[in-house]
Amino acid sequence: MSGPDYIPFAASSSYPARPGNRVRPLVGGPEIFGRIGEVLEEAQATIWATVAFYAHDFRFPGERGGVFDVLDRAVARGVDVRLIVWRPNPEAGGFPNMFSGTAEQMAWLAARGTQVKIRWDRAAGRYCQHQKSWLIDPGRPEELAFVGGANVTASGARHQDMYVELAGPATRDVHHNFVQRWNMATERAVAGGHWACDADDELPAPSAVAAARGTSMVQIARMLPAVGERSVVEQYKLAIEAARRTVYIENQAIPIMEVAAPLMKAMDRGVEVILLVPSTPEKYVFDARLNPAERSRFEGVEMLAGHPNFLMAGLGPTYVHNKTMIVDDCWATIGSCNLHAFSLQGHAEMNAGIWDADVAGALRRRLFAKHLGADVTDLDDRAAFALYRQAAQEGRGVYILDPHRYGVT
């Protein structure tokens, strides 16, 4: 591993940085869910997942069917299958594509005769249990974990999104996260809060750490209000503060001041910053623009707007749902955490930080080649950033967005 030893680990994480991991970034719905579907079909003993948003219209590639088609087949061959699913509070508002355990959804489960074990889990107030993870055969030599941002919905599979496949010691921490959340799920003892299990069905914490299977250093970081952890935002800030050349961000949300302030300081010392966000944001962003009480949502990105080292861009009609940052072509984070106040102040989130220049640099080059439609193999990060900026000015693949008008028109 040629890793960036100048980027610190997140001291507040429940988990240490662990060497010896095999890391495979997965980009776009077909690749993400093609690989996850393949692994689910091969699971020998265990499939566990954390789910935020779900829809019956989702289908795995390769004619594998929907989520419960794949999971029911796994149960039939003796695999222990468990899901932790977000159950929103009334103040969270109505969302499409939720599997919150309504009477209709319970009837659907009963009609299928599914024996997938499910626990529903609430967050505080309007917040979301937003982690998206899959864990296959934990505690076995072939254990794999997937951490990312894509939802299991048909629309989610079409977005610009990403997961990372992990094999090696860091899978132990994804395992621990699932066990902790399963055992403390808010609805575990509530009537209608579980399926095919009960409140006494607890899981033991993992004891062993998986053997090395690669060369990457990985640290699992979380936003988990239930235990007071905010290590994802700590890691974002530490990486930005350590950046020497470039920061590339793909995120569903514009950054609030907690992240924008260190980005401004990085640019002041010469770091180039590119932020790729949805060309057209969600409705709540437009609503916030009309509400003076929500002014703080936009102050961070508007502060960045005047800096010559900053570019905010969109992908035209392709919706950016990714939650990824790459620093100096040598460090990356991939996960579920957005840069808005919801994720940084109340959602449950999980990201994997990766200290490996080979992985981070290859990922940045792959994303730039995809978005720009250009060969960037021979360009270093600074030269590639200049090409990206030129392409945005000319509207070739990416487009310049005005932070002061974002969510206005």
Side-chain angles (χ1 to χ4, degrees):
M1 181 190 75
S2 53
D5 57 7
Y6 59 90
I7 296 180
F9 305 132
S12 65
S13 176
S14 298
Y15 312 118
R18 299 188 189 274
N21 298 279
R22 188 182 75 228
V23 172
R24 178 183 175 184
L26 303 170
V27 181
E31 182 172 294
I32 293 168
F33 292 114
R35 177 57 178 159
I36 292 176
E38 175 187 3
V39 170
L40 295 180
E41 297 280 23
E42 296 172 352
Q44 299 296 305
T46 307
I47 297 171
W48 296 342
T50 58
V51 178
F53 295 93
Y54 161 91
H56 292 325
D57 63 4
F58 172 86
R59 293 292 181 272
F60 283 103
E63 299 184 354
R64 290 188 170 92
V67 172
F68 282 90
D69 296 320
V70 173
L71 298 184
D72 284 342
R73 290 197 297 269
V75 172
R77 65 177 189 268
V79 175
D80 177 48
V81 181
R82 300 173 188 244
L83 303 178
I84 304 172
V85 185
W86 176 44
R87 174 171 284 177
N89 295 317
E91 54 266 47
F95 290 92
N97 300 331
M98 289 190 302
F99 196 67
S100 54
T102 63
E104 180 182 6
Q105 290 165 344
M106 294 291 197
W108 183 83
L109 291 170
R112 291 187 65 93
T114 184
Q115 291 303 301
V116 172
K117 298 175 183 177
I118 305 172
R119 280 186 175 173
W120 281 273
D121 197 16
R122 296 187 187 275
R126 61 179 180 170
Y127 294 111
C128 174
Q129 299 288 9
H130 198 243
Q131 291 181 349
K132 294 92 181 274
S133 66
W134 296 82
L135 187 66
I136 293 86
D137 292 335
R140 297 168 65 98
E142 64 272 22
E143 177 177 4
L144 291 175
F146 296 84
V147 175
N151 293 310
V152 282
T153 67
S155 60
R158 295 191 294 269
H159 295 155
Q160 168 62 13
D161 221 325
M162 194 176 301
Y163 263 72
V164 60
E165 176 183 335
L166 302 172
T171 59
R172 182 265 179 203
D173 303 325
V174 183
H175 181 174
H176 178 273
N177 174 79
F178 185 91
V179 168
Q180 185 177 43
R181 285 200 52 203
W182 178 267
N183 290 347
M184 62 190 289
T186 62
E187 310 299 275
R188 64 190 182 278
V190 175
H194 45 80
W195 183 269
C197 60
D198 57 30
D200 296 326
D201 185 357
E202 292 209 343
L203 293 169
S207 55
V209 176
R213 296 176 66 184
T215 59
S216 296
M217 180 79 73
V218 174
Q219 183 177 33
I220 300 299
R222 302 184 297 178
M223 306 297 285
L224 199 61
V227 298
E229 182 169 345
R230 301 185 74 242
S231 58
V232 175
V233 70
E234 180 194 6
Q235 187 61 80
Y236 269 117
K237 291 160 67 176
L238 286 171
I240 293 167
E241 289 164 357
R244 296 174 176 177
R245 294 173 55 87
T246 55
V247 175
Y248 179 68
I249 300 171
E250 293 191 5
N251 205 276
Q252 186 186 6
I254 55 176
I256 62 172
M257 189 62 75
E258 189 172 9
V259 175
L263 283 172
M264 176 62 80
K265 291 180 180 178
M267 290 190 295
D268 285 344
R269 62 177 186 269
V271 175
E272 297 280 342
V273 174
I274 293 177
L275 171 66
L276 185 75
V277 293
S279 297
T280 303
E282 291 184 293
K283 182 179 180 297
Y284 81 86
V285 180
F286 290 94
D287 293 341
R289 275 289 189 186
L290 300 174
N291 183 356
E294 300 291 346
R295 175 74 189 121
S296 62
R297 289 178 187 257
F298 305 96
E299 290 173 344
V301 75
E302 290 179 356
M303 175 184 71
L304 301 176
H307 203 290
N309 289 8
F310 179 70
L311 171 68
M312 179 167 147
L315 275 179
T318 301
Y319 188 77
V320 177
H321 192 262
N322 205 357
K323 301 91 169 60
T324 295
M325 183 170 74
I326 303 169
V327 173
D328 293 348
D329 267 10
C330 63
W331 180 91
T333 183
I334 300 170
S336 69
C337 191
N338 288 305
L339 299 180
H340 55 35
F342 300 113
S343 286
L344 300 185
Q345 296 176 2
H347 286 356
E349 309 283 4
M350 183 160 58
N351 277 42
I354 304 160
W355 283 255
D356 191 321
D358 292 336
V359 171
L363 176 58
R364 196 271 305 156
R365 289 188 291 273
R366 181 180 179 189
L367 293 172
F368 277 35
K370 177 182 178 183
H371 300 334
L372 307 183
D375 184 359
V376 297
T377 305
D378 296 329
L379 300 180
D380 68 12
D381 54 343
R382 290 274 197 165
F385 269 50
L387 179 64
Y388 199 113
R389 184 179 294 275
Q390 179 183 351
Q393 291 169 344
E394 297 172 358
R396 292 186 288 108
V398 292
Y399 307 86
I400 294 175
L401 299 177
D402 180 357
H404 295 283
R405 302 293 298 170
Y406 196 65
V408 177
T409 57

